[in-house]
């Protein structure tokens, strides 16, 4: 299969910028941080998973053009990046090297490497879409392979208890609406004191969602499905 050599960074792609992508990062899982445990008197040892850590993903590019400044301005800072060999997801990334402007100015075909310092999870693009619920339902995604931290907005009045796969949290006062962001473990507009319980997450596979509270009119869920 021919590789789709497209790079999208901060909602602009390399074709718009007059840049040729020569090589994209290898497709691989995120890097694990592990602890190696040596047990006295026992051959071998144990490996304990700690967490997933950031990865540096390299993109090799060629440039030939008369306006290198726009390339320099584009390829700096941080933002979402999509690699063409995994077009269904983006990574939160920061470029950790600089494109040497002096070499690009020569106006010749110039080959260089862009290094994206990527957070460990790929966020599926369709997981950024808002799903509106008026009754309990089951959410699932066939590609998501790690627990996801949703953005949930509950509309209505009064209090409610929200349930995902048997895990519950309570909202003491909706106040027309309340938005719960599990990624930052906070509620918008200073409503953190309105939630009791642990911030919700979505499991791999099926997620049975329900709530109690007669004042709830609808619930918006942005699942933020993610992959290793």
């Amino acid at each position: 299969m021919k590789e789709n050599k497209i790079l999208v960074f901060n909602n602009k792609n390399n074709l718009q910028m007059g840049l040729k992508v020569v090589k994209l990062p290898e497709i691989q899982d995120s890097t694990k941080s592990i602890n190696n445990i040596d047990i006295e008197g026992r051959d071998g040892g144990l490996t304990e998973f700690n967490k997933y850590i950031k990865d540096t993903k390299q993109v090799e590019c060629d440039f030939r053009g008369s306006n290198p400044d726009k390339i320099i301005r584009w390829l700096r800072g941080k933002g979402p990046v999509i690699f063409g060999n995994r077009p269904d997801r983006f990574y939160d990334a920061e470029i950790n090297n600089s494109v040497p402007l002096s070499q690009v100015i020569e106006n010749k075909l110039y080959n260089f490497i862009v290094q994206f310092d990527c957070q460990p999870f790929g966020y599926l693009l369709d997981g950024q879409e808002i799903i509106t619920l008026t009754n309990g339902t089951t959410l699932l995604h066939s590609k998501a392979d790690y627990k996801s931290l949703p953005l949930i907005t509950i509309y209505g009045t009064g209090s409610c208890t929200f349930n995902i796969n048997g895990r519950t949290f309570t909202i003491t006062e909706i106040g027309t609406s309340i938005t719960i962001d599990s990624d930052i473990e906070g509620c918008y507009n200073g409503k953190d004191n309105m939630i009791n319980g642990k911030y919700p997450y979505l499991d791999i596979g099926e997620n049975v969602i329900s709530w109690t509270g007669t004042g709830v009119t609808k619930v918006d869920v942005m699942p933020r499905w993610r992959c290793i």
Side-chain angles (χ1 to χ4, degrees), residues 3 23-29 57-58 85-86:
E3 187 176 70
K23 187 177 181 180
L24 290 165
E26 297 293 330
I27 294 178
Q28 60 186 31
D29 284 349
K57 300 183 187 295
Q58 294 192 154
N85 52 356
R86 279 197 159 177

Side-chain angles (χ1 to χ4, degrees), residues 112-130:
F112 61 95
I113 298 292
V114 185
Q115 295 180 343
F116 291 91
D117 193 12
C118 295
Q119 296 294 334
F121 302 109
Y123 290 87
L124 294 165
L125 298 181
D126 58 6
Q128 303 302 301
E129 298 171 2
I130 293 175

Side-chain angles (χ1 to χ4, degrees), residues 30-97:
S30 300
T31 302
K32 292 180 179 179
S33 169
I34 60 174
N35 300 321
N36 292 312
I37 303 171
D38 183 41
I39 300 176
E40 186 175 354
R42 178 175 173 177
D43 294 330
L46 297 176
T47 300
E48 181 182 61
F49 172 73
N50 185 17
K51 62 179 180 178
Y52 288 101
I53 60 176
K54 295 190 294 183
D55 289 298
T56 297
K57 300 183 187 295
Q58 294 192 154
V59 178
E60 182 182 351
C61 301
D62 279 340
F63 175 75
R64 185 200 299 271
S66 58
N67 187 11
D69 290 322
K70 71 176 183 178
I71 300 295
I72 304 301
R73 289 192 296 268
W74 177 47
L75 295 177
R76 63 161 61 122
K78 61 179 64 177
V81 61
I82 301 172
F83 304 109
N85 52 356
R86 279 197 159 177
D88 61 345
R89 68 198 66 184
F90 72 89
Y91 295 86
D92 288 326
E94 183 171 7
I95 295 177
N96 61 16
N97 70 321

Side-chain angles (χ1 to χ4, degrees), residues 108-166:
K108 297 177 181 178
L109 182 63
Y110 174 63
N111 180 270
F112 61 95
I113 298 292
V114 185
Q115 295 180 343
F116 291 91
D117 193 12
C118 295
Q119 296 294 334
F121 302 109
Y123 290 87
L124 294 165
L125 298 181
D126 58 6
Q128 303 302 301
E129 298 171 2
I130 293 175
I131 301 169
T132 298
L133 311 177
T134 54
N135 295 289
T137 191
T138 298
L139 298 182
L140 59 84
H141 198 287
S142 60
K143 285 187 179 180
D145 59 11
Y146 198 76
K147 71 177 183 181
S148 301
L149 304 177
L151 181 71
I152 299 173
T153 301
I154 302 171
Y155 297 88
T157 57
S159 62
C160 77
T161 297
F162 206 86
N163 186 305
I164 301 177
N165 283 353

